[in-house]
Amino acid sequence: MASQVATPTSLQTATTSSSTSLSSPALSPSSPAQLSPDDVELLAKLEEQNRLLETDSKSLRSMNGSRRNSGSSLVSSSSASSNLSHLEEDSWILWGRIVNEWEEVRKKKEKQLKDLVRKGVPHHFRAIVWQLLCNAQNMPIKDQYSELLKMTSPCEKLIRRDIARTYPEHEFFKEKDSLGQEVLFNVMKAYSLVDREVGYCQGSAFIVGLLLMQMPEEEAFCVFVKLMQDYRLRELFKPSMAELGLCMYQFECMIQEQLPELHMHFQAQSFHTSMYASSWFLTIFLTSFPLPVATRIFDIFMCEGLEIVFRVGLAILQMNQTELVQLDMEGMLQHFQKVIPHQLDSGPDKVIQTAYQVKYNAKKMKKLEKEYTTIKTKEMEEQVEIKRLRTENRLLKQRIDTLEKKAAPRYSEESVLQLERELVQARLKEAESQCALKEMQDKILDMEKRNSSLPDDTNVARLQDELIGVKLREAEALTGLKELRQQVRDLEDHWQRHLARTAGRWKDSPRKNTLSELQDELMSVRLREAEAQAELRETRQRMLELETQNQIHSNQLRRAEHDSRSLQECVQTLTVQNKDLHVQLQEIKRRQAEIECKSKEEVMAVRLREADNIAAMAELQQQISELEIQKEEGKVQGQLNHTDSSQYIRDLRSQIAELKHEICCLKGQRSLVCPPNFDGIHIINHYGGDDVSYQSSDEDGVKGPTLKESQQRAGGRVRLRPNLGDTESEDEEEEEDDDDEEALRLSVPQSGSHKSTTV
């Protein structure tokens, strides 16, 4: 590491020897014959420095490791020898002038500087040029580096685990517990302590490793901090990796626009952009391309930012489009991992030239960033809504399971009504919640409008002015106090000298005594003047304090008046809203009263109809009783013979059939009219006797129109189930007469129950 520390320092020392300013022709290579003495001196110093580098084993190990890893050296250590070609000499002199006159070149010749960086920064200038490009010199955090190394990071285990995976074939990093691994661990640990939100991410170790190949660990740490802060890398390495998603979206849109055929093939194969391009953005191609190519691209990245990653990525796809459209997903992955890196073994010039032929519109990238932000916002809202619905669904399932455990296999009417009421209440609560949500949204919009109308910036500016004025007055007061103290000290010195002079006044002549008296008067005058000045200073200080308090009170009063006006407006708004709510409440109460009246009227109507039905049933029962009595009278009198009895039975059967039909009709009408919430009536009336039977007699024939007419007159809705036996002979009649009870069952159906009337 000693050589690494010496390299940028010596370069700075060497470049400062050149006093010529960088003119316009200075950026174009000149011939060695036209070199000035200063340039020759600079070249000699650089050659001497390179000879020192060659004798440093640690620096040689780093450079040789880079050569073994990539297959070719970034810049050979012998390139600075006395046998340098003219082109290399001119490049070294040119970059030495650029480093020496950096501020002027950066401001006046930025375009030419970009062209030179795109052609490549010489290896031995990379350390200082990268620091200059990202403004990483003299950072305050550099002084904290040694203190950070003494602290403990929560990411140390992760860093130790991944160090062996960082440049595993490079000579500087491949040995366990080597110097390279140790300095890499130090830098990653220090940054994890500085930025605890990001902490440590594996891809960042490759960037730090490249920096350590060029410069000491303190300077590499400063450059890495600058890259994270100013080059969007910090957003890329955050745990959420939101910036990486944005880069993937922008890159995919560029592919869709400029390579539509390849984009369609990727979509058909479900080959997402993140499957091959995420490492490009996270490591700036350091894990995908040979190290010399990735280092050249990193030169441009230090100068232009992430734009070069988009350009080079699209150039790679454009160069390999023909092969990629013929491969499936696995074939494309193999192509990206094995074929494309070997295509770049010849050098990065072709891919960089192709990259700068790619169309890149910064305004369109900003537009795509806004679109991505909008899409992500909508996705977040949808996720929140889905989460809420899932929570409600889970709660409903729990409620259903609880109800299923508690409820019987068959729900009763009351439980169904209870569930319906709960459903209505739940819907009312949902409606109220929606109304409350809408009101809150309106209030939020109103508050945002009012906040936008408030002069917040003006208030802050006014307070800042007040603070500045107070500080100025305080500084003036302190200055005056210092002056007064100085005057007091001067007066004390004069007074001491005066006392020393007046100590031997009684020995002096009268003339000297007169002079002493005059000096005493002068001292008294000076004391009174100092006292007057002190009083004047105190008065001014009090005045300044009173003015400051007056201004502060005025500002407080003005803000209190503004707050009072805002509160009055809020009270008025709330009063209006309260009145509107009172009106709505009265309207709701009125509608509720109307609904209750209507429901009471309907209940009364239903009960009246039921009373009519009961009266009709009673009348029908009376008719049936009379009919049975007539049958018994006819049987006792024996007015009918056998033939007439048979005829009478047939007539009675026909009448019974008609009665059944009538009763079925009445039953259908009753089922339509009868409300589900009416309490039915269960009446059982038995007529019985020793010899009473409801069977028809051979001798008595009672016509059925009387019963039919009574049913039509009653207009009731009745279900009549007769249990009348038909006889063909007197023996059957006698057997049926022995039955103790024969009944006609009158049934009034209700929802959920059966109630009947038996005569």
Side-chain angles (χ1 to χ4, degrees):
M1 292 301 294
S3 63
Q4 291 179 346
V5 175
T7 302
T9 307
S10 61
L11 285 175
Q12 290 175 350
T13 305
T15 53
T16 52
S17 64
S18 177
S19 61
T20 58
S21 61
L22 185 63
S23 60
S24 177
L27 290 173
S28 59
S30 58
S31 61
Q34 299 174 352
L35 295 179
S36 64
D38 292 336
D39 296 336
V40 173
E41 183 181 357
L42 173 64
L43 182 59
K45 289 184 177 182
L46 292 174
E47 291 175 355
E48 179 65 24
Q49 184 62 36
N50 279 299
R51 280 194 292 273
L52 293 174
L53 288 173
E54 290 176 0
T55 60
D56 194 329
S57 60
K58 295 179 182 177
S59 179
L60 278 176
R61 183 176 59 181
S62 175
M63 287 185 289
N64 291 336
S66 173
R67 230 180 359 254
R68 291 189 186 96
N69 184 51
S70 60
S72 62
S73 175
L74 296 176
V75 175
S76 175
S77 60
S78 62
S79 61
S81 63
S82 58
N83 297 325
L84 286 172
S85 65
H86 295 321
L87 183 61
E88 290 173 336
E89 291 177 1
D90 295 339
S91 175
W92 276 63
I93 295 171
L94 179 61
W95 278 102
R97 289 182 178 179
I98 291 174
V99 171
N100 192 35
E101 304 290 338
W102 177 258
E103 295 296 333
E104 184 179 357
V105 174
R106 189 71 181 267
K107 293 178 181 178
K108 297 181 180 180
K109 303 182 182 301
E110 185 177 1
K111 185 177 180 181
Q112 293 90 332
L113 179 62
K114 284 186 177 180
D115 292 338
L116 280 175
V117 172
R118 291 173 185 175
K119 293 178 182 178
V121 180
H123 173 67
H124 293 87
F125 281 93
R126 276 203 174 99
I128 185 64
V129 170
W130 283 2
Q131 294 179 59
L132 292 171
L133 284 171
C134 66
N135 296 323
Q137 314 96 318
N138 302 322
M139 290 181 64
I141 199 171
K142 185 176 181 180
D143 300 332
Q144 305 174 12
Y145 182 75
S146 58
E147 297 297 328
L148 291 172
L149 295 182
K150 298 176 183 178
M151 301 169 63
T152 303
S153 171
C155 304
E156 289 186 7
K157 291 184 179 180
L158 293 175
I159 299 172
R160 290 287 186 192
R161 183 193 65 188
D162 292 336
I163 278 182
R165 307 176 188 175
T166 305
Y167 297 113
E169 299 178 359
H170 196 282
E171 189 70 24
F172 190 48
F173 298 102
K174 71 178 183 179
E175 295 181 6
K176 187 177 181 181
D177 298 330
S178 62
L179 179 63
Q181 290 191 3
E182 189 63 28
V183 295
L184 178 59
F185 173 79
N186 291 341
V187 175
M188 297 308 302
K189 171 188 172 181
Y191 185 80
S192 68
L193 291 169
V194 170
D195 190 353
R196 294 184 181 273
E197 182 181 1
V198 175
Y200 166 72
C201 186
Q202 184 179 4
S204 60
F206 289 92
I207 298 175
V208 175
L210 180 65
L211 296 176
L212 290 171
M213 295 178 195
Q214 315 296 330
M215 61 189 76
E217 58 181 293
E218 294 89 351
E219 297 174 1
F221 173 69
C222 295
V223 173
F224 183 64
V225 171
K226 270 292 183 181
L227 291 178
M228 296 292 282
Q229 292 176 352
D230 301 340
Y231 286 74
R232 296 171 62 184
L233 292 184
R234 184 175 185 275
E235 302 299 324
L236 282 173
F237 289 120
K238 277 186 177 180
S240 61
M241 289 191 172
E243 192 72 15
L244 181 60
L246 171 61
C247 293
M248 295 296 101
Y249 180 76
Q250 292 173 331
F251 190 62
E252 186 173 357
C253 291
M254 291 179 68
I255 298 172
Q256 185 177 4
E257 179 183 359
Q258 302 185 29
L259 302 173
E261 183 180 356
L262 184 61
H263 180 264
M264 291 178 62
H265 180 66
F266 284 168
Q267 293 291 327
Q269 295 293 329
S270 298
F271 194 60
H272 301 293
T273 310
S274 59
M275 298 174 69
Y276 62 91
S278 59
S279 61
W280 294 354
F281 288 89
L282 290 174
T283 63
I284 321 298
F285 300 103
L286 289 171
T287 58
S288 304
F289 293 173
L291 194 57
V293 179
T295 308
R296 280 284 304 277
I297 295 173
F298 203 84
D299 289 339
I300 306 172
F301 169 74
M302 295 291 293
C303 184
E304 302 179 18
L306 279 177
E307 176 183 344
I308 187 60
V309 183
F310 287 98
R311 288 183 176 276
V312 172
L314 208 62
I316 291 295
L317 295 179
Q318 187 176 350
M319 293 166 61
N320 293 270
Q321 181 178 3
T322 306
E323 293 82 1
L324 289 172
V325 294
Q326 299 176 359
L327 301 173
D328 58 0
M329 180 188 293
E330 295 182 0
M332 288 188 288
L333 285 174
Q334 294 293 328
H335 191 83
F336 277 106
Q337 294 173 0
K338 297 182 179 180
V339 178
I340 291 178
H342 291 295
Q343 293 178 354
L344 303 174
D345 287 339
S346 59
D349 294 332
K350 181 179 179 181
V351 69
I352 292 176
Q353 183 179 1
T354 307
Y356 281 96
Q357 295 175 358
V358 171
K359 296 179 181 179
Y360 183 88
N361 191 342
K363 293 182 179 179
K364 188 167 184 181
M365 299 298 280
K366 287 288 184 183
K367 183 179 178 182
L368 292 174
E369 182 177 356
K370 292 181 180 179
E371 291 179 0
Y372 180 78
T373 305
T374 304
I375 293 171
K376 283 297 177 183
T377 304
K378 290 182 179 179
E379 288 181 357
M380 290 295 294
E381 292 176 354
E382 290 176 356
Q383 289 178 0
V384 171
E385 182 65 18
I386 290 172
K387 187 176 181 181
R388 184 184 67 81
L389 293 174
R390 285 177 177 172
T391 303
E392 291 182 357
N393 191 17
R394 187 178 69 255
L395 294 175
L396 288 174
K397 285 183 178 179
Q398 292 177 358
R399 180 72 183 277
I400 290 170
D401 294 339
T402 304
L403 291 174
E404 287 179 350
K405 291 178 181 178
K406 293 182 178 180
R410 295 181 61 185
Y411 292 106
S412 63
E413 181 182 0
E414 294 179 358
S415 61
V416 172
L417 293 175
Q418 179 66 21
L419 290 175
E420 289 179 353
R421 284 194 293 270
E422 290 181 1
L423 178 61
V424 171
Q425 291 177 0
R427 289 179 178 173
L428 288 174
K429 288 181 181 179
E430 183 179 1
E432 292 175 357
S433 300
Q434 293 293 335
C435 294
L437 179 61
K438 188 175 181 182
E439 290 178 0
M440 293 301 294
Q441 290 175 351
D442 295 337
K443 287 181 181 178
I444 289 171
L445 292 175
D446 187 19
M447 292 296 292
E448 288 178 352
K449 290 180 181 177
R450 289 197 296 181
N451 289 337
S452 61
S453 63
L454 290 176
D456 293 336
D457 297 336
T458 308
N459 289 336
V460 173
R462 190 183 301 112
L463 291 174
Q464 289 178 349
D465 295 338
E466 292 176 6
L467 181 61
I468 291 171
V470 171
K471 288 184 177 179
L472 289 175
R473 287 192 288 273
E474 184 181 0
E476 292 177 359
L478 292 174
T479 305
L481 181 61
K482 289 180 180 178
E483 292 177 356
L484 285 174
R485 288 177 178 174
Q486 184 63 35
Q487 290 179 1
V488 169
R489 285 194 295 270
D490 294 341
L491 287 173
E492 287 179 353
D493 294 339
H494 284 297
W495 180 252
Q496 293 296 330
R497 286 195 299 270
H498 173 70
L499 291 176
R501 285 194 304 269
T502 57
R505 179 182 299 177
W506 60 278
K507 297 179 181 180
D508 295 337
S509 63
R511 184 178 179 182
K512 290 184 178 180
N513 292 335
T514 304
L515 182 61
S516 299
E517 290 176 357
L518 291 175
Q519 290 178 351
D520 292 342
E521 291 179 0
L522 178 61
M523 184 60 63
S524 301
V525 170
R526 287 182 178 178
L527 286 173
R528 286 194 296 272
E529 182 183 2
E531 291 176 355
Q533 288 181 355
E535 291 178 357
L536 180 61
R537 293 283 185 181
E538 290 178 358
T539 306
R540 286 180 180 176
Q541 181 65 24
R542 291 195 191 98
M543 187 181 296
L544 289 174
E545 291 177 357
L546 292 174
E547 287 178 356
T548 302
Q549 292 178 0
N550 187 19
Q551 190 171 3
I552 292 173
H553 292 326
S554 300
N555 292 332
Q556 290 178 351
L557 182 60
R558 184 166 54 253
R559 287 193 289 269
E561 290 177 353
H562 183 269
D563 294 339
S564 178
R565 286 196 299 271
S566 301
L567 290 174
Q568 288 177 359
E569 292 175 358
C570 182
V571 169
Q572 291 176 358
T573 305
L574 292 174
T575 305
V576 173
Q577 292 179 356
N578 193 15
K579 289 180 180 179
D580 294 339
L581 291 174
H582 276 299
V583 173
Q584 294 178 4
L585 180 61
Q586 293 297 331
E587 181 66 21
I588 291 171
K589 287 182 178 179
R590 186 184 62 79
R591 291 179 181 175
Q592 185 177 3
E594 291 178 356
I595 292 171
E596 288 179 354
C597 291
K598 288 181 180 179
S599 63
K600 289 180 180 179
E601 290 176 357
E602 291 177 356
V603 170
M604 290 301 295
V606 170
R607 290 182 177 176
L608 289 174
R609 287 195 293 271
E610 288 298 326
D612 293 339
N613 291 336
I614 292 170
M617 286 188 291
E619 195 171 338
L620 183 59
Q621 292 170 5
Q622 185 65 29
Q623 293 293 332
I624 292 172
S625 301
E626 292 176 357
L627 179 61
E628 294 299 329
I629 291 170
Q630 290 176 6
K631 284 166 56 179
E632 291 300 322
E633 290 177 354
K635 179 180 177 183
V636 173
Q637 292 175 0
Q639 295 175 356
L640 297 175
N641 55 19
H642 182 72
T643 304
D644 295 335
S645 177
S646 299
Q647 182 63 33
Y648 172 74
I649 289 171
R650 284 193 294 272
D651 294 338
L652 189 58
R653 285 179 178 176
S654 61
Q655 291 177 9
I656 289 172
E658 292 177 358
L659 286 174
K660 287 182 179 180
H661 179 70
E662 292 289 336
I663 290 169
C664 291
C665 295
L666 292 174
K667 175 185 175 183
Q669 295 177 359
R670 166 136 182 102
S671 63
L672 293 174
V673 174
C674 183
N677 59 350
F678 178 73
D679 293 334
I681 299 173
H682 187 198
I683 301 173
I684 301 177
N685 188 6
H686 294 281
Y687 294 88
D690 295 333
D691 298 325
V692 178
S693 176
Y694 297 104
Q695 298 295 335
S696 62
S697 175
D698 294 338
E699 299 175 357
D700 186 11
V702 180
K703 304 298 182 180
T706 305
L707 178 59
K708 184 176 183 181
E709 290 174 358
S710 64
Q711 290 174 344
Q712 293 175 352
R713 185 169 60 253
R717 295 171 176 81
V718 183
R719 184 167 63 188
L720 187 63
R721 295 182 179 176
N723 188 10
L724 300 177
D726 297 331
T727 58
E728 295 292 337
S729 62
E730 295 179 354
D731 296 332
E732 294 176 357
E733 292 178 0
E734 292 175 357
E735 292 176 357
E736 292 175 357
D737 289 341
D738 294 335
D739 296 336
D740 293 334
E741 288 182 3
E742 293 294 340
L744 290 175
R745 183 173 296 275
L746 181 63
S747 176
V748 181
Q750 287 290 345
S751 60
S753 65
H754 295 283
K755 300 177 182 180
S756 61
T757 301
T758 306
V759 181

